[in-house]
PDB file of all heavy atoms in Angstrom:
ATOM      1  N   SER M 248      82.822 -70.108 268.008  1.00 95.00           N
ATOM      2  CA  SER M 248      81.484 -69.580 268.255  1.00 95.00           C
ATOM      3  C   SER M 248      80.385 -70.412 267.571  1.00 95.00           C
ATOM      4  O   SER M 248      80.637 -71.181 266.633  1.00 95.00           O
ATOM      5  CB  SER M 248      81.391 -68.131 267.746  1.00 95.00           C
ATOM      6  OG  SER M 248      81.618 -68.056 266.375  1.00 95.00           O
ATOM      7  N   ASN M 249      79.175 -70.228 268.097  1.00 93.00           N
ATOM      8  CA  ASN M 249      77.910 -70.672 267.514  1.00 93.00           C
ATOM      9  C   ASN M 249      77.102 -69.450 267.216  1.00 93.00           C
ATOM     10  O   ASN M 249      77.233 -68.397 267.869  1.00 93.00           O
ATOM     11  CB  ASN M 249      77.124 -71.563 268.483  1.00 93.00           C
ATOM     12  CG  ASN M 249      77.882 -72.835 268.828  1.00 93.00           C
ATOM     13  OD1 ASN M 249      78.054 -73.718 268.008  1.00 93.00           O
ATOM     14  ND2 ASN M 249      78.354 -72.938 270.074  1.00 93.00           N
ATOM     15  N   MET M 250      76.227 -69.541 266.247  1.00 94.00           N
ATOM     16  CA  MET M 250      75.410 -68.363 265.843  1.00 94.00           C
ATOM     17  C   MET M 250      73.991 -68.789 265.517  1.00 94.00           C
ATOM     18  O   MET M 250      73.787 -69.740 264.760  1.00 94.00           O
ATOM     19  CB  MET M 250      76.037 -67.655 264.668  1.00 94.00           C
ATOM     20  CG  MET M 250      75.308 -66.401 264.244  1.00 94.00           C
ATOM     21  SD  MET M 250      76.161 -65.538 262.909  1.00 94.00           S
ATOM     22  CE  MET M 250      74.916 -64.330 262.455  1.00 94.00           C
ATOM     23  N   THR M 251      73.020 -68.054 266.133  1.00 93.00           N
ATOM     24  CA  THR M 251      71.605 -68.293 265.752  1.00 93.00           C
ATOM     25  C   THR M 251      71.201 -67.331 264.665  1.00 93.00           C
ATOM     26  O   THR M 251      71.591 -66.168 264.664  1.00 93.00           O
ATOM     27  CB  THR M 251      70.712 -68.106 266.962  1.00 93.00           C
ATOM     28  OG1 THR M 251      70.866 -66.751 267.433  1.00 93.00           O
ATOM     29  CG2 THR M 251      71.011 -69.067 268.076  1.00 93.00           C
ATOM     30  N   MET M 252      70.429 -67.841 263.679  1.00 90.00           N
ATOM     31  CA  MET M 252      70.023 -66.974 262.585  1.00 90.00           C
ATOM     32  C   MET M 252      68.844 -67.707 261.820  1.00 90.00           C
ATOM     33  O   MET M 252      68.698 -68.921 261.946  1.00 90.00           O
ATOM     34  CB  MET M 252      71.151 -66.777 261.595  1.00 90.00           C
ATOM     35  CG  MET M 252      70.863 -65.697 260.554  1.00 90.00           C
ATOM     36  SD  MET M 252      72.293 -65.357 259.491  1.00 90.00           S
ATOM     37  CE  MET M 252      71.600 -64.099 258.467  1.00 90.00           C
ATOM     38  N   VAL M 253      68.109 -66.913 261.085  1.00 89.00           N
ATOM     39  CA  VAL M 253      67.011 -67.480 260.273  1.00 89.00           C
ATOM     40  C   VAL M 253      67.195 -66.966 258.834  1.00 89.00           C
ATOM     41  O   VAL M 253      67.300 -65.796 258.594  1.00 89.00           O
ATOM     42  CB  VAL M 253      65.631 -67.046 260.811  1.00 89.00           C
ATOM     43  CG1 VAL M 253      64.516 -67.571 259.919  1.00 89.00           C
ATOM     44  CG2 VAL M 253      65.442 -67.532 262.259  1.00 89.00           C
ATOM     45  N   LEU M 254      67.126 -67.937 257.906  1.00 90.00           N
ATOM     46  CA  LEU M 254      67.077 -67.594 256.478  1.00 90.00           C
ATOM     47  C   LEU M 254      65.772 -68.128 255.936  1.00 90.00           C
ATOM     48  O   LEU M 254      64.975 -68.777 256.681  1.00 90.00           O
ATOM     49  CB  LEU M 254      68.259 -68.201 255.732  1.00 90.00           C
ATOM     50  CG  LEU M 254      69.630 -67.730 256.138  1.00 90.00           C
ATOM     51  CD1 LEU M 254      70.749 -68.549 255.472  1.00 90.00           C
ATOM     52  CD2 LEU M 254      69.841 -66.250 255.847  1.00 90.00           C
ATOM     53  N   ASN M 255      65.482 -67.925 254.666  1.00 88.00           N
ATOM     54  CA  ASN M 255      64.231 -68.397 254.092  1.00 88.00           C
ATOM     55  C   ASN M 255      64.540 -69.246 252.847  1.00 88.00           C
ATOM     56  O   ASN M 255      65.076 -68.784 251.890  1.00 88.00           O
ATOM     57  CB  ASN M 255      63.356 -67.198 253.656  1.00 88.00           C
ATOM     58  CG  ASN M 255      61.896 -67.548 253.611  1.00 88.00           C
ATOM     59  OD1 ASN M 255      61.540 -68.635 253.117  1.00 88.00           O
ATOM     60  ND2 ASN M 255      61.023 -66.648 254.104  1.00 88.00           N
ATOM     61  N   ASN M 256      64.212 -70.555 252.964  1.00 86.00           N
ATOM     62  CA  ASN M 256      64.367 -71.482 251.914  1.00 86.00           C
ATOM     63  C   ASN M 256      65.822 -71.562 251.382  1.00 86.00           C
ATOM     64  O   ASN M 256      66.093 -71.680 250.202  1.00 86.00           O
ATOM     65  CB  ASN M 256      63.442 -71.172 250.751  1.00 86.00           C
ATOM     66  CG  ASN M 256      61.990 -71.295 251.107  1.00 86.00           C
ATOM     67  OD1 ASN M 256      61.685 -71.980 252.099  1.00 86.00           O
ATOM     68  ND2 ASN M 256      61.098 -70.551 250.434  1.00 86.00           N
ATOM     69  N   SER M 257      66.759 -71.502 252.310  1.00 87.00           N
ATOM     70  CA  SER M 257      68.145 -71.590 252.011  1.00 87.00           C
ATOM     71  C   SER M 257      68.856 -72.326 253.170  1.00 87.00           C
ATOM     72  O   SER M 257      68.523 -72.155 254.326  1.00 87.00           O
ATOM     73  CB  SER M 257      68.756 -70.227 251.863  1.00 87.00           C
ATOM     74  OG  SER M 257      70.163 -70.297 251.608  1.00 87.00           O
ATOM     75  N   ILE M 258      69.831 -73.159 252.804  1.00 82.00           N
ATOM     76  CA  ILE M 258      70.541 -73.948 253.836  1.00 82.00           C
ATOM     77  C   ILE M 258      71.333 -73.024 254.753  1.00 82.00           C
ATOM     78  O   ILE M 258      72.027 -72.114 254.297  1.00 82.00           O
ATOM     79  CB  ILE M 258      71.517 -74.941 253.136  1.00 82.00           C
ATOM     80  CG1 ILE M 258      70.716 -75.945 252.356  1.00 82.00           C
ATOM     81  CG2 ILE M 258      72.396 -75.642 254.200  1.00 82.00           C
ATOM     82  CD1 ILE M 258      69.849 -76.857 253.152  1.00 82.00           C
ATOM     83  N   LEU M 259      71.201 -73.225 256.035  1.00 81.00           N
ATOM     84  CA  LEU M 259      71.801 -72.331 257.034  1.00 81.00           C
ATOM     85  C   LEU M 259      73.295 -72.741 257.235  1.00 81.00           C
ATOM     86  O   LEU M 259      73.682 -73.351 258.253  1.00 81.00           O
ATOM     87  CB  LEU M 259      71.057 -72.391 258.368  1.00 81.00           C
ATOM     88  CG  LEU M 259      71.503 -71.411 259.453  1.00 81.00           C
ATOM     89  CD1 LEU M 259      71.241 -69.974 258.997  1.00 81.00           C
ATOM     90  CD2 LEU M 259      70.827 -71.727 260.780  1.00 81.00           C
TER      91      LEU M 259
END
Side-chain angles (χ1 to χ4, degrees):
S248 64
N249 298 291
M250 181 175 170
T251 59
M252 190 177 181
V253 178
L254 298 172
N255 204 319
N256 299 336
S257 178
I258 296 295
L259 186 66

